[in-house]
PDB file of all heavy atoms in Angstrom:
ATOM      1  N   ASP A  26      37.036 195.770 278.114  1.00  0.00           N
ATOM      2  CA  ASP A  26      37.473 194.449 278.570  1.00  0.00           C
ATOM      3  C   ASP A  26      38.948 194.172 278.205  1.00  0.00           C
ATOM      4  O   ASP A  26      39.638 193.492 278.927  1.00  0.00           O
ATOM      5  CB  ASP A  26      36.580 193.386 277.949  1.00  0.00           C
ATOM      6  CG  ASP A  26      36.721 192.060 278.654  1.00  0.00           C
ATOM      7  OD1 ASP A  26      37.287 191.996 279.744  1.00  0.00           O
ATOM      8  OD2 ASP A  26      36.193 191.045 278.113  1.00  0.00           O
ATOM      9  N   LEU A  27      39.392 194.681 277.095  1.00  0.00           N
ATOM     10  CA  LEU A  27      40.798 194.580 276.704  1.00  0.00           C
ATOM     11  C   LEU A  27      41.125 195.948 276.078  1.00  0.00           C
ATOM     12  O   LEU A  27      40.761 196.196 274.932  1.00  0.00           O
ATOM     13  CB  LEU A  27      40.975 193.447 275.689  1.00  0.00           C
ATOM     14  CG  LEU A  27      42.387 193.140 275.233  1.00  0.00           C
ATOM     15  CD1 LEU A  27      43.278 192.763 276.406  1.00  0.00           C
ATOM     16  CD2 LEU A  27      42.345 191.977 274.240  1.00  0.00           C
ATOM     17  N   LEU A  28      41.713 196.800 276.862  1.00  0.00           N
ATOM     18  CA  LEU A  28      41.940 198.184 276.444  1.00  0.00           C
ATOM     19  C   LEU A  28      42.724 198.248 275.149  1.00  0.00           C
ATOM     20  O   LEU A  28      43.779 197.592 275.037  1.00  0.00           O
ATOM     21  CB  LEU A  28      42.667 198.915 277.566  1.00  0.00           C
ATOM     22  CG  LEU A  28      42.590 200.433 277.590  1.00  0.00           C
ATOM     23  CD1 LEU A  28      41.138 200.905 277.699  1.00  0.00           C
ATOM     24  CD2 LEU A  28      43.383 200.983 278.745  1.00  0.00           C
ATOM     25  N   HIS A  29      42.222 198.978 274.161  1.00  0.00           N
ATOM     26  CA  HIS A  29      42.906 199.106 272.879  1.00  0.00           C
ATOM     27  C   HIS A  29      42.806 200.560 272.384  1.00  0.00           C
ATOM     28  O   HIS A  29      42.157 201.414 273.011  1.00  0.00           O
ATOM     29  CB  HIS A  29      42.341 198.114 271.854  1.00  0.00           C
ATOM     30  CG  HIS A  29      40.890 198.210 271.601  1.00  0.00           C
ATOM     31  ND1 HIS A  29      40.304 199.255 270.910  1.00  0.00           N
ATOM     32  CD2 HIS A  29      39.878 197.394 271.931  1.00  0.00           C
ATOM     33  CE1 HIS A  29      39.007 199.068 270.821  1.00  0.00           C
ATOM     34  NE2 HIS A  29      38.698 197.920 271.452  1.00  0.00           N
ATOM     35  N   VAL A  30      43.454 200.822 271.261  1.00  0.00           N
ATOM     36  CA  VAL A  30      43.584 202.196 270.740  1.00  0.00           C
ATOM     37  C   VAL A  30      42.209 202.821 270.468  1.00  0.00           C
ATOM     38  O   VAL A  30      42.027 204.031 270.623  1.00  0.00           O
ATOM     39  CB  VAL A  30      44.506 202.255 269.522  1.00  0.00           C
ATOM     40  CG1 VAL A  30      43.884 201.557 268.307  1.00  0.00           C
ATOM     41  CG2 VAL A  30      44.910 203.673 269.199  1.00  0.00           C
ATOM     42  N   GLY A  31      41.237 202.026 270.065  1.00  0.00           N
ATOM     43  CA  GLY A  31      39.900 202.569 269.829  1.00  0.00           C
ATOM     44  C   GLY A  31      39.302 203.157 271.102  1.00  0.00           C
ATOM     45  O   GLY A  31      38.653 204.207 271.070  1.00  0.00           O
ATOM     46  N   HIS A  32      39.519 202.477 272.240  1.00  0.00           N
ATOM     47  CA  HIS A  32      39.049 203.006 273.526  1.00  0.00           C
ATOM     48  C   HIS A  32      39.741 204.329 273.849  1.00  0.00           C
ATOM     49  O   HIS A  32      39.087 205.270 274.268  1.00  0.00           O
ATOM     50  CB  HIS A  32      39.347 202.004 274.658  1.00  0.00           C
ATOM     51  CG  HIS A  32      38.579 200.738 274.552  1.00  0.00           C
ATOM     52  ND1 HIS A  32      39.166 199.512 274.772  1.00  0.00           N
ATOM     53  CD2 HIS A  32      37.275 200.473 274.296  1.00  0.00           C
ATOM     54  CE1 HIS A  32      38.260 198.586 274.662  1.00  0.00           C
ATOM     55  NE2 HIS A  32      37.107 199.123 274.351  1.00  0.00           N
ATOM     56  N   VAL A  33      41.047 204.379 273.662  1.00  0.00           N
ATOM     57  CA  VAL A  33      41.807 205.587 273.957  1.00  0.00           C
ATOM     58  C   VAL A  33      41.293 206.757 273.107  1.00  0.00           C
ATOM     59  O   VAL A  33      41.044 207.833 273.649  1.00  0.00           O
ATOM     60  CB  VAL A  33      43.316 205.350 273.746  1.00  0.00           C
ATOM     61  CG1 VAL A  33      44.090 206.654 273.891  1.00  0.00           C
ATOM     62  CG2 VAL A  33      43.844 204.297 274.710  1.00  0.00           C
ATOM     63  N   ARG A  34      41.091 206.516 271.836  1.00  0.00           N
ATOM     64  CA  ARG A  34      40.621 207.585 270.945  1.00  0.00           C
ATOM     65  C   ARG A  34      39.206 208.015 271.277  1.00  0.00           C
ATOM     66  O   ARG A  34      38.884 209.225 271.213  1.00  0.00           O
ATOM     67  CB  ARG A  34      40.747 207.155 269.494  1.00  0.00           C
ATOM     68  CG  ARG A  34      42.196 207.002 269.071  1.00  0.00           C
ATOM     69  CD  ARG A  34      42.337 206.363 267.712  1.00  0.00           C
ATOM     70  NE  ARG A  34      43.747 206.188 267.374  1.00  0.00           N
ATOM     71  CZ  ARG A  34      44.171 205.416 266.399  1.00  0.00           C
ATOM     72  NH1 ARG A  34      43.314 204.723 265.648  1.00  0.00           N
ATOM     73  NH2 ARG A  34      45.451 205.293 266.158  1.00  0.00           N
ATOM     74  N   TYR A  35      38.382 207.074 271.646  1.00  0.00           N
ATOM     75  CA  TYR A  35      36.999 207.383 272.064  1.00  0.00           C
ATOM     76  C   TYR A  35      36.996 208.270 273.302  1.00  0.00           C
ATOM     77  O   TYR A  35      36.316 209.291 273.339  1.00  0.00           O
ATOM     78  CB  TYR A  35      36.276 206.049 272.307  1.00  0.00           C
ATOM     79  CG  TYR A  35      34.994 206.088 273.121  1.00  0.00           C
ATOM     80  CD1 TYR A  35      33.935 206.882 272.725  1.00  0.00           C
ATOM     81  CD2 TYR A  35      34.833 205.254 274.209  1.00  0.00           C
ATOM     82  CE1 TYR A  35      32.725 206.872 273.467  1.00  0.00           C
ATOM     83  CE2 TYR A  35      33.657 205.233 274.944  1.00  0.00           C
ATOM     84  CZ  TYR A  35      32.619 206.040 274.583  1.00  0.00           C
ATOM     85  OH  TYR A  35      31.476 206.046 275.291  1.00  0.00           O
ATOM     86  N   LEU A  36      37.787 207.912 274.283  1.00  0.00           N
ATOM     87  CA  LEU A  36      37.803 208.680 275.529  1.00  0.00           C
ATOM     88  C   LEU A  36      38.488 210.030 275.342  1.00  0.00           C
ATOM     89  O   LEU A  36      38.056 211.025 275.931  1.00  0.00           O
ATOM     90  CB  LEU A  36      38.462 207.869 276.660  1.00  0.00           C
ATOM     91  CG  LEU A  36      37.676 206.587 277.018  1.00  0.00           C
ATOM     92  CD1 LEU A  36      38.431 205.771 278.047  1.00  0.00           C
ATOM     93  CD2 LEU A  36      36.256 206.913 277.464  1.00  0.00           C
ATOM     94  N   GLU A  37      39.511 210.121 274.500  1.00  0.00           N
ATOM     95  CA  GLU A  37      40.104 211.416 274.190  1.00  0.00           C
ATOM     96  C   GLU A  37      39.092 212.318 273.495  1.00  0.00           C
ATOM     97  O   GLU A  37      39.022 213.517 273.780  1.00  0.00           O
ATOM     98  CB  GLU A  37      41.361 211.229 273.358  1.00  0.00           C
ATOM     99  CG  GLU A  37      42.535 210.689 274.132  1.00  0.00           C
ATOM    100  CD  GLU A  37      43.742 210.392 273.251  1.00  0.00           C
ATOM    101  OE1 GLU A  37      43.615 210.305 272.012  1.00  0.00           O
ATOM    102  OE2 GLU A  37      44.847 210.233 273.844  1.00  0.00           O
ATOM    103  N   GLY A  38      38.323 211.755 272.576  1.00  0.00           N
ATOM    104  CA  GLY A  38      37.277 212.522 271.896  1.00  0.00           C
ATOM    105  C   GLY A  38      36.230 213.020 272.844  1.00  0.00           C
ATOM    106  O   GLY A  38      35.772 214.179 272.741  1.00  0.00           O
ATOM    107  N   ALA A  39      35.845 212.205 273.808  1.00  0.00           N
ATOM    108  CA  ALA A  39      34.844 212.607 274.795  1.00  0.00           C
ATOM    109  C   ALA A  39      35.422 213.722 275.696  1.00  0.00           C
ATOM    110  O   ALA A  39      34.741 214.726 275.959  1.00  0.00           O
ATOM    111  CB  ALA A  39      34.429 211.415 275.653  1.00  0.00           C
ATOM    112  N   ARG A  40      36.644 213.577 276.109  1.00  0.00           N
ATOM    113  CA  ARG A  40      37.284 214.572 276.999  1.00  0.00           C
ATOM    114  C   ARG A  40      37.398 215.922 276.328  1.00  0.00           C
ATOM    115  O   ARG A  40      37.314 216.976 276.962  1.00  0.00           O
ATOM    116  CB  ARG A  40      38.661 214.066 277.446  1.00  0.00           C
ATOM    117  CG  ARG A  40      39.419 214.989 278.364  1.00  0.00           C
ATOM    118  CD  ARG A  40      38.621 215.194 279.686  1.00  0.00           C
ATOM    119  NE  ARG A  40      39.375 215.866 280.690  1.00  0.00           N
ATOM    120  CZ  ARG A  40      39.525 217.184 280.741  1.00  0.00           C
ATOM    121  NH1 ARG A  40      39.012 217.953 279.816  1.00  0.00           N
ATOM    122  NH2 ARG A  40      40.212 217.721 281.710  1.00  0.00           N
ATOM    123  N   ALA A  41      37.594 215.921 275.004  1.00  0.00           N
ATOM    124  CA  ALA A  41      37.759 217.184 274.257  1.00  0.00           C
ATOM    125  C   ALA A  41      36.480 218.016 274.304  1.00  0.00           C
ATOM    126  O   ALA A  41      36.525 219.222 274.029  1.00  0.00           O
ATOM    127  CB  ALA A  41      38.146 216.894 272.816  1.00  0.00           C
ATOM    128  N   LEU A  42      35.334 217.435 274.666  1.00  0.00           N
ATOM    129  CA  LEU A  42      34.071 218.147 274.670  1.00  0.00           C
ATOM    130  C   LEU A  42      33.712 218.756 276.020  1.00  0.00           C
ATOM    131  O   LEU A  42      32.645 219.367 276.150  1.00  0.00           O
ATOM    132  CB  LEU A  42      32.953 217.189 274.236  1.00  0.00           C
ATOM    133  CG  LEU A  42      33.068 216.644 272.818  1.00  0.00           C
ATOM    134  CD1 LEU A  42      31.941 215.641 272.552  1.00  0.00           C
ATOM    135  CD2 LEU A  42      33.078 217.764 271.790  1.00  0.00           C
ATOM    136  N   ALA A  43      34.573 218.594 277.026  1.00  0.00           N
ATOM    137  CA  ALA A  43      34.202 219.027 278.369  1.00  0.00           C
ATOM    138  C   ALA A  43      35.415 219.341 279.226  1.00  0.00           C
ATOM    139  O   ALA A  43      36.535 219.046 278.840  1.00  0.00           O
ATOM    140  CB  ALA A  43      33.340 217.963 279.040  1.00  0.00           C
ATOM    141  N   ASP A  44      35.144 219.885 280.406  1.00  0.00           N
ATOM    142  CA  ASP A  44      36.184 220.139 281.384  1.00  0.00           C
ATOM    143  C   ASP A  44      36.537 218.877 282.162  1.00  0.00           C
ATOM    144  O   ASP A  44      37.661 218.730 282.641  1.00  0.00           O
ATOM    145  CB  ASP A  44      35.720 221.185 282.414  1.00  0.00           C
ATOM    146  CG  ASP A  44      35.304 222.489 281.759  1.00  0.00           C
ATOM    147  OD1 ASP A  44      36.074 222.975 280.878  1.00  0.00           O
ATOM    148  OD2 ASP A  44      34.250 223.028 282.098  1.00  0.00           O
ATOM    149  N   VAL A  45      35.563 218.011 282.303  1.00  0.00           N
ATOM    150  CA  VAL A  45      35.687 216.792 283.109  1.00  0.00           C
ATOM    151  C   VAL A  45      35.084 215.631 282.352  1.00  0.00           C
ATOM    152  O   VAL A  45      34.004 215.753 281.788  1.00  0.00           O
ATOM    153  CB  VAL A  45      34.952 216.972 284.473  1.00  0.00           C
ATOM    154  CG1 VAL A  45      34.985 215.675 285.290  1.00  0.00           C
ATOM    155  CG2 VAL A  45      35.556 218.113 285.275  1.00  0.00           C
ATOM    156  N   LEU A  46      35.783 214.490 282.374  1.00  0.00           N
ATOM    157  CA  LEU A  46      35.256 213.262 281.763  1.00  0.00           C
ATOM    158  C   LEU A  46      35.041 212.219 282.849  1.00  0.00           C
ATOM    159  O   LEU A  46      35.961 211.839 283.589  1.00  0.00           O
ATOM    160  CB  LEU A  46      36.232 212.704 280.702  1.00  0.00           C
ATOM    161  CG  LEU A  46      35.803 211.357 280.094  1.00  0.00           C
ATOM    162  CD1 LEU A  46      34.435 211.440 279.423  1.00  0.00           C
ATOM    163  CD2 LEU A  46      36.878 210.878 279.122  1.00  0.00           C
ATOM    164  N   VAL A  47      33.796 211.764 282.941  1.00  0.00           N
ATOM    165  CA  VAL A  47      33.414 210.649 283.827  1.00  0.00           C
ATOM    166  C   VAL A  47      33.160 209.451 282.930  1.00  0.00           C
ATOM    167  O   VAL A  47      32.410 209.555 281.931  1.00  0.00           O
ATOM    168  CB  VAL A  47      32.148 210.998 284.643  1.00  0.00           C
ATOM    169  CG1 VAL A  47      31.771 209.818 285.544  1.00  0.00           C
ATOM    170  CG2 VAL A  47      32.357 212.271 285.461  1.00  0.00           C
ATOM    171  N   VAL A  48      33.749 208.322 283.260  1.00  0.00           N
ATOM    172  CA  VAL A  48      33.585 207.110 282.449  1.00  0.00           C
ATOM    173  C   VAL A  48      32.912 206.019 283.250  1.00  0.00           C
ATOM    174  O   VAL A  48      33.325 205.687 284.362  1.00  0.00           O
ATOM    175  CB  VAL A  48      34.964 206.595 281.940  1.00  0.00           C
ATOM    176  CG1 VAL A  48      34.782 205.328 281.110  1.00  0.00           C
ATOM    177  CG2 VAL A  48      35.671 207.673 281.142  1.00  0.00           C
ATOM    178  N   GLY A  49      31.848 205.456 282.693  1.00  0.00           N
ATOM    179  CA  GLY A  49      31.165 204.331 283.260  1.00  0.00           C
ATOM    180  C   GLY A  49      31.742 203.039 282.710  1.00  0.00           C
ATOM    181  O   GLY A  49      31.904 202.890 281.508  1.00  0.00           O
ATOM    182  N   VAL A  50      32.081 202.109 283.621  1.00  0.00           N
ATOM    183  CA  VAL A  50      32.594 200.812 283.225  1.00  0.00           C
ATOM    184  C   VAL A  50      31.552 199.748 283.605  1.00  0.00           C
ATOM    185  O   VAL A  50      31.142 199.712 284.763  1.00  0.00           O
ATOM    186  CB  VAL A  50      33.956 200.521 283.927  1.00  0.00           C
ATOM    187  CG1 VAL A  50      34.415 199.100 283.673  1.00  0.00           C
ATOM    188  CG2 VAL A  50      35.021 201.507 283.466  1.00  0.00           C
ATOM    189  N   ASN A  51      31.169 198.932 282.659  1.00  0.00           N
ATOM    190  CA  ASN A  51      30.178 197.889 282.930  1.00  0.00           C
ATOM    191  C   ASN A  51      30.690 196.905 283.974  1.00  0.00           C
ATOM    192  O   ASN A  51      31.856 196.516 283.944  1.00  0.00           O
ATOM    193  CB  ASN A  51      29.857 197.105 281.653  1.00  0.00           C
ATOM    194  CG  ASN A  51      29.047 197.872 280.667  1.00  0.00           C
ATOM    195  OD1 ASN A  51      29.571 198.671 279.916  1.00  0.00           O
ATOM    196  ND2 ASN A  51      27.744 197.623 280.633  1.00  0.00           N
ATOM    197  N   SER A  52      29.782 196.479 284.851  1.00  0.00           N
ATOM    198  CA  SER A  52      30.111 195.451 285.842  1.00  0.00           C
ATOM    199  C   SER A  52      30.411 194.130 285.146  1.00  0.00           C
ATOM    200  O   SER A  52      30.092 193.936 283.966  1.00  0.00           O
ATOM    201  CB  SER A  52      28.962 195.258 286.795  1.00  0.00           C
ATOM    202  OG  SER A  52      27.870 194.644 286.112  1.00  0.00           O
ATOM    203  N   ASP A  53      30.973 193.192 285.872  1.00  0.00           N
ATOM    204  CA  ASP A  53      31.256 191.869 285.312  1.00  0.00           C
ATOM    205  C   ASP A  53      29.988 191.193 284.821  1.00  0.00           C
ATOM    206  O   ASP A  53      29.976 190.589 283.749  1.00  0.00           O
ATOM    207  CB  ASP A  53      31.941 190.985 286.373  1.00  0.00           C
ATOM    208  CG  ASP A  53      33.316 191.476 286.763  1.00  0.00           C
ATOM    209  OD1 ASP A  53      33.917 192.272 286.011  1.00  0.00           O
ATOM    210  OD2 ASP A  53      33.813 191.039 287.812  1.00  0.00           O
TER     211      ASP A  53
END
């Protein structure tokens, strides 16, 4: 909802585990 450094680090950590990262974003 308000992108911050924790989100960036979370997604970088996820990406490090695979060739491709798919991210689900909750609807409104």
Side-chain angles (χ1 to χ4, degrees):
D26 197 14
L27 184 59
L28 201 59
H29 58 71
V30 70
H32 293 136
V33 173
R34 292 171 182 164
Y35 163 56
L36 297 175
E37 287 175 343
R40 179 63 170 81
L42 297 177
D44 303 314
V45 175
L46 175 59
V47 180
V48 179
V50 173
N51 288 80
S52 69
D53 293 342

